[in-house]
Amino acid sequence: ALLVAPLWGVGAGAAGPAPPAYSLILDSFRPQHVGYAMSIYKLAVKIGAGVAFILGGVLFDFFDGIGTISVAVIGEIRPWQATMISVGAPGLLLALLLLTMTEPSRKGLAKGTAAGDRQLPLRDTARFIGARWRVYVPLFLGASMMAMAGYGAGAWYPELLVRNYDMTKTEAGTIYGTITMIAGSSGVMLGAWLAQQMAKRGYTDSWVRTCFITSLLATPLMVGGPLSESEFWNIALLWPGMVMAGSYLGVLAVSFVVITPNQMRGQITAIYIFVTNIIGMAVGTSVLAAFTDFLYQDDALLHYSVATACGLFYPAAALLFWFCMPAYRRAVAEAAD
């Protein structure tokens, strides 16, 4: 309980900025720039994950070499505790940067409301989503499928490298963390660029269309890598695979924010974060472990479990995005009014 309670607090704190941040970004940038702005914000997911894989093991090894540290008032700090403190402490200083931000003027207000109407009742938001379920439900479920594949593979891929190619955990973490940080970040920005190019060609569903295309392209790459017997080809396929797999992060966040009235953005973003985290993070990693334990029943076949998860969830996401596109085009036209 002493460990779980702080983790709940960290999770709540980490999720808290997203609903206001999405709305702030949309209010602060011109339409042609909002995709890049949101993608830069979402880079934190890939950069943070990459740094965690690379530095987590290094910091733990460092503090493990020192041993238990005694600090006045606090008491003894074990190596794993020192690692968590070292990773979390800079966030306290970075949070102070928020004090330098100014509130932008509110844009995209619902009809019949004024800027002073800070938030509409939750029942109005529920009715709004219910009337447009063909847009929000497949979008959120599609994002959840992408998250299931991404978080599931992320949790187990370093271990796959260890088991299949006799890497050390430090080597596997460094390789996977570097690919996550560089290829994943490149994918986030590529998604914004692709959506912008399609928008210039008249596709009003460019945000969702980008998610549809890249989720399809991610499938053979993220399935082929784990199934490769060669370490070289596994890693070679993982690079473009992570580019495609990460490209949805920024554009999908923009996709539903631009069709949502200003006063509902925070509530609907909170629903999106809740759904994708519960399905993606919690279920995704557990399902992949279940594949290993119950489907293949062999820890040495972890690479089959990763390939199976990617082979199921990325195409499922593509199908949901494809289903969403006609309704999304109608929602865009409605939002323009």
Side-chain angles (χ1 to χ4, degrees):
L2 292 176
L3 178 61
V4 171
L7 289 176
W8 283 348
V10 170
Y22 284 21
S23 188
L24 284 169
I25 289 170
L26 202 66
D27 286 340
S28 300
F29 292 89
R30 296 177 180 178
Q32 63 268 32
H33 298 152
V34 72
Y36 293 111
M38 185 70 79
S39 294
I40 291 172
Y41 171 76
K42 299 295 283 188
L43 283 179
V45 175
K46 295 299 180 182
I47 294 175
V51 171
F53 278 115
I54 296 171
L55 289 185
V58 173
L59 285 172
F60 180 80
D61 289 342
F62 172 76
F63 288 114
D64 193 43
I66 296 175
T68 301
I69 302 171
S70 296
V71 179
V73 181
I74 297 177
E76 292 186 346
I77 300 178
R78 297 177 178 84
W80 66 269
Q81 293 172 319
T83 301
M84 288 188 172
I85 292 171
S86 299
V87 172
L92 297 174
L93 298 176
L94 293 173
L96 298 176
L97 292 175
L98 293 175
L99 298 175
T100 66
M101 293 182 60
T102 56
E103 183 80 13
S105 60
R106 310 194 77 185
K107 305 174 182 68
L109 299 169
K111 278 188 173 182
T113 62
D117 299 331
R118 307 301 292 180
Q119 183 173 309
L120 298 178
L122 186 58
R123 62 179 179 275
D124 290 348
T125 302
R127 281 198 294 266
F128 183 85
I129 294 176
R132 297 156 185 83
W133 70 269
R134 289 180 178 270
V135 176
Y136 289 100
V137 171
L139 265 185
F140 290 2
L141 289 180
S144 298
M145 295 298 104
M146 297 291 285
M148 286 180 74
Y151 286 121
W156 292 100
Y157 220 106
E159 185 62 25
L160 182 158
L161 298 176
V162 170
R163 295 182 187 181
N164 284 30
Y165 309 116
D166 294 324
M167 293 185 186
T168 66
K169 291 187 182 295
T170 299
E171 289 172 340
T174 300
I175 290 173
Y176 190 78
T178 301
I179 295 174
T180 297
M181 189 161 48
I182 298 175
S185 298
S186 300
V188 175
M189 298 309 298
L190 175 67
W193 182 83
L194 286 174
Q196 193 72 19
Q197 298 309 305
M198 284 191 282
K200 289 179 180 178
R201 287 167 172 75
Y203 290 102
T204 58
D205 59 2
S206 62
W207 304 112
V208 183
R209 188 174 293 266
T210 297
C211 296
F212 167 69
I213 293 171
T214 54
S215 57
L216 282 180
L217 293 175
T219 303
L221 297 168
M222 295 302 293
V223 172
L227 295 180
S228 175
E229 295 182 1
S230 164
E231 176 184 334
F232 171 81
W233 283 111
N234 190 330
I235 295 173
L237 290 172
L238 184 59
W239 277 95
M242 290 291 281
V243 172
M244 293 297 109
S247 59
Y248 83 98
L249 278 171
V251 293
L252 196 138
V254 175
S255 69
F256 68 85
V257 177
V258 296
I259 61 170
T260 302
N262 190 299
Q263 301 97 318
M264 297 182 185
R265 288 176 191 159
Q267 295 171 337
I268 291 180
T269 300
I271 295 170
Y272 164 73
I273 297 293
F274 177 80
V275 171
T276 54
N277 280 359
I278 290 295
I279 298 178
M281 288 186 184
V283 179
T285 54
S286 301
V287 165
L288 201 146
F291 286 160
T292 303
D293 291 341
F294 303 112
L295 179 60
Y296 298 110
Q297 299 180 354
D298 187 347
D299 288 347
L301 298 181
L302 174 61
H303 55 296
Y304 283 178
S305 298
V306 174
T308 301
C310 294
L312 289 174
F313 299 141
Y314 285 126
L319 185 62
L320 287 162
F321 294 140
W322 175 82
F323 175 79
C324 174
M325 284 193 290
Y328 187 81
R329 290 191 289 269
R330 293 192 294 271
V332 170
E334 180 187 44
D337 189 26

